[in-house]
Each structure stands twice: as structure tokens, then as C-alpha cells.
Amino acid sequence: MRTYREILRTPEYTPLFLTTSGQVAAQTVSGLALSTLVFTATGSPLLSALAMFGPSLAQVIGATFLLSGADRLPPRATLTGIALIFAVTTAAQAVPGLSVWAVFAILLGQGMIGSLGGGVGFGLLNEILPSDGYVLGRSMFSMSAGFMQIGGFAVGGVIMAALSPSRALLIGAALYLLSGLIARFGLSARPARASGRPSASETWRDNARLWSSKPRRYVYLAFWVPSGLVVGCESLYVAYSPKDAGLIFASGALGMLAGDVLTGRLLPQRWRARLGVPLLLLLAAPHLVFALRPGLPVVMVAVLVATVGYSANWVFQERLLALTPEDMSGHALGLHFSGMRTMQGVGAALAGAVAQYTSASTGIAVVAAASIAVTLALMPGLRADGDAPPRADRAKDGPDVAEGPDGPDGPAGPGHRVGELRGREGEPAGQ
């Protein structure tokens, strides 16, 4: 598949695309509104950052106990139920007089549930699309997220100025409800991809299997840490410039959109595979300019350029799929999503803590420098894994599966049977 038209003609792709787009719009509007509410009530950059990205910290709990359900639950019912839960809990956050700690308790629950939704949705996308259409189809999801974020931040800012943050939260809840209805009536009733009942023990066992391969560990760390720290930079935009935060976020969404078009549509696979580390460095480096406390035009340009680097996500996602057995694809992508969201919360907490004792501009610059340092530290391992096998070569896992250079079965690539490579074609929400 080489064109967006072909992707959109794939059965069930469009309703899954619309479901995910609606959730991104809901998350954007409600996250900006909630962060503004908390900052207004407390004046704390740390709590404001955690209000927008704190639910990500709870992803680690879901990844520990719930993630085995990503391949063991029926996708349509699961995605519908999660969207409805988010609709109800987001509406609850708009209740007048709700304490800050009650708000964070709701966010904790949302984060735990969200870890499961990411794995189910990503696994369904991997199942719907053929192998040669995955990156293009996934890039469409991210481009839509860019549009939804640009519109969500702009519309959310207008709503809060014209009405109130609480009204913006109710609009976010309505968008979650709409997403749930699209999932229920647009997707077909597919069975679970794997047998057995979801359980904490299955989650731990599958996590250990995925983490046992050194190449996969490097890919996961590249997914999680550098971009999670940059999200910490983004979590301070409200504290840096409360009135202009929507414009700064919109610039970032535009940069993400440009990066997705470049990486997902224009670059051939052989070039994509070489750009992972450079894109991660690009993601962090422009944020160093915040140390100089520049004005809004310079900030918008720096953020626009930096967020092109988020397209490194698709480079490493493609590599992860090439390194993962097909019957664990949903769990593997769910672990990626949950770990990424968790590190976003950690990045927001770190940046907020630095800003609490210095300033928002200092917090942004310090965390950006940390992201660059982590990327440089990971670079040797990512280069050593640069020749990952194509996605079509994924194999079923089993007792004779090789787990890479550090694995129990010798030097073959992870998830590949020694002397027998096989696979088939066929992850959503958010950055």
C-alpha cells in the first residue's frame, strides 16, 4: 500500500481512525482545560504539569496488571467501554467545587484504564492493515492527531476564554462519548487475538518475554525516555506563558504533522531506519533556546522544528514489530504505549519539580538537555540493532524462539525461529 486512499479503503480502518481521532480531540480539549483549572487554583507549575500529563504515570500500573488483556479481550467491546468510562470521568471533573486531589484521583483511574486501551487499539490496527501499509496507516493516525491537537488547543482556548474551563471539560466528555459510539457501531465484533483469560501473572510473564531481548530493550528505551523527557518540556508551556500556551501547543502539533508526512509518506523504509537517533536529537535540541527566555515568535518556531522529531516514533515502532512475535503484537505495542505514557508523566514531574524551584524556562532547558544525553547514551545499542529484519519476517513465539544476542537461544534475532522465518500482516491513541 502506497497511498492514503488505499489505506482508507481497508475495511474497518476508517471507524478505528475516527474513534482514535475523537479521543485525541477529547484529550486535547480536556487536558488544556484541566491544566488551566489546576494552575489557576494552585499557582503550581508542578501540579499544572501533572494535571495535563500526570495520568501517564498511572500507565505503569496498568502495564503491570492489565496489559495481558490487550490480546485477550474482544477489541470492539473493550474500546467502546473505555471511551464511555473516559466520557463519564471527564464530565465528573467539571463538577463545581471538586477538590484538586479528587481531580488527581480521577486522573489516576483514567491512566490505568488508558494503558489497556492503547494495546487493544494498536493491536487491532496491526490486525486490520497488511504489512506494507502499517507505517503509512499509522502515520495517518498521527497526522490526524496533529490536526486534532491544533484544532483542540485552538478551540479549547476559545471555549475557555468565551465560557469556562469547566465547559471545555464537558465538551471533551461529549467527544469521548462520540468516539465510543463510533467504535460500537463502526467496528465489527472480532474475537480476541490470543486465548486465555487476562491476568496479572500473564501480564508479568509476557512483559518479561518482551524485555528479555537486548535489541527490544534498546528500542523500548528509545521509545520511552527521550520523548518522555521532551513531553516534560511541553508540560511547562502553560507555566511559561499561560496566555499563549495554546499557540505554542498548536505549533508543536503542526511540527508533528509535518514530521509524520515526511517519515510516513515520503521517506522509503531504508531511509527511515537510519533516522531514529537524529530525529530524537532534533526533538530535544530546539528546546534549549528556552534558557534564554525568548519571545513568542522564537518559541513557536523552536517548538515547530523540534516536534518534527516525534516521527522517530514510527521508525522505532516499525523496528519493534519486526522484532516481535505476531501473537504478542498487541501486548508489545501496548507495553510501548504504556511505557511511553508513563515516561511522559515522569518527564512532566521532573520538569515541574525543576520549575518549582527555578523557573519554567530553566525547567524546559534542563529536561531537554537530559533528553539529549539519554539519546547519545542509547545510540551505540540502537546502531547495533540497525539491521532489524523486515516486519514480514516476524515469527510465532515458542520454546525454540531466539531472543537475540542476550537471549536464551543464541545469536538469532528476537522473535525469530532459527532457520525458519515466517509472519503475517496484521496499534492508537495519542502521542
Side-chain angles (χ1 to χ4, degrees):
M1 289 186 170
R2 298 294 302 167
T3 68
Y4 295 129
R5 183 175 298 177
E6 289 179 293
I7 294 289
L8 290 170
R9 288 175 178 171
T10 304
E12 294 190 81
Y13 179 86
T14 297
L16 182 59
F17 175 83
L18 293 175
T19 297
T20 304
S21 298
Q23 290 175 345
V24 172
Q27 181 181 0
T28 302
V29 172
S30 58
L32 179 61
L34 200 60
S35 179
T36 304
L37 272 175
V38 171
F39 187 71
T40 301
T42 66
S44 169
L46 174 59
L47 293 179
S48 173
L50 290 176
M52 182 170 284
F53 296 103
S56 304
L57 286 170
Q59 295 272 342
V60 70
I61 303 174
T64 302
F65 295 101
L66 304 177
L67 203 50
S68 64
D71 292 306
R72 293 176 174 87
L73 292 173
R76 185 179 72 176
T78 306
L79 292 175
T80 301
I82 290 174
L84 295 179
I85 291 172
F86 268 72
V88 172
T89 53
T90 301
Q93 290 171 327
V95 173
L98 191 68
S99 71
V100 171
W101 301 114
V103 167
F104 279 102
I106 293 173
L107 289 175
L108 175 66
Q110 287 181 331
M112 291 178 60
I113 296 168
S115 66
L116 177 60
V120 173
F122 287 147
L124 179 58
L125 178 63
N126 191 40
E127 190 176 349
I128 288 172
L129 291 177
S131 58
D132 63 346
Y134 179 82
V135 171
L136 186 61
R138 187 66 181 89
S139 74
M140 282 191 63
F141 272 63
S142 186
M143 284 190 292
S144 170
F147 282 122
M148 292 298 106
Q149 288 176 347
I150 292 171
F153 285 127
V155 172
V158 171
I159 293 171
M160 289 189 296
L163 300 174
S164 67
S166 296
R167 298 287 181 87
L169 282 170
L170 292 176
I171 291 175
L175 289 170
Y176 278 123
L177 176 60
L178 178 60
S179 297
L181 293 175
I182 294 173
R184 173 60 183 84
F185 296 105
L187 297 173
S188 63
R190 292 171 176 258
R193 286 178 293 276
S195 59
R197 298 179 60 182
S199 67
S201 61
E202 286 290 338
T203 299
W204 297 338
R205 181 162 52 248
D206 287 349
N207 285 346
R209 288 167 64 191
L210 290 167
W211 195 248
S212 65
S213 161
K214 184 177 180 179
R216 276 200 297 262
R217 286 199 297 273
Y218 271 99
V219 171
Y220 273 127
L221 290 173
F223 267 136
W224 297 341
V225 185
S227 62
L229 290 170
V230 171
V231 169
C233 299
E234 296 176 351
S235 72
L236 294 177
Y237 291 167
V238 171
Y240 182 82
S241 181
K243 293 188 296 184
D244 300 319
L247 290 174
I248 300 173
F249 278 117
S251 297
L254 185 59
M256 288 173 57
L257 176 62
D260 292 332
V261 172
L262 176 65
T263 305
R265 180 69 179 90
L266 301 179
L267 288 180
Q269 195 278 335
R270 66 182 182 275
W271 284 101
R272 282 200 303 267
R274 301 174 183 175
L275 290 177
V277 170
L279 287 170
L280 288 178
L281 293 173
L282 175 65
L283 179 61
H287 285 92
L288 296 175
V289 76
F290 277 84
L292 303 176
R293 298 189 60 84
L296 180 61
V298 174
V299 165
M300 291 178 66
V301 171
V303 169
L304 186 148
V305 172
T307 50
V308 172
Y310 274 121
S311 59
N313 188 40
W314 319 133
V315 176
F316 292 115
Q317 198 168 123
E318 190 172 37
R319 187 177 301 179
L320 177 64
L321 285 172
L323 296 170
T324 301
E326 64 179 81
D327 62 336
M328 295 184 69
S329 62
H331 192 120
L333 291 167
L335 182 61
H336 140 60
F337 179 79
S338 297
M340 179 181 69
R341 297 281 292 173
T342 299
M343 275 308 305
Q344 289 174 358
V346 171
L350 288 174
V354 174
Q356 191 80 12
Y357 295 101
T358 56
S359 65
S361 59
T362 301
I364 292 170
V366 167
V367 175
S371 177
I372 293 171
V374 171
T375 298
L376 294 175
L378 292 173
M379 188 164 58
L382 294 171
R383 282 180 173 173
D385 186 37
D387 296 325
R391 181 167 171 252
D393 288 343
R394 288 179 301 152
K396 282 280 188 179
D397 206 5
D400 58 337
V401 169
E403 288 293 330
D406 286 0
D409 296 311
H416 294 100
R417 218 176 277 275
V418 178
E420 179 188 352
L421 301 180
R422 62 180 294 272
R424 55 156 294 205
E425 68 277 3
E427 149 188 11
Q431 297 290 331

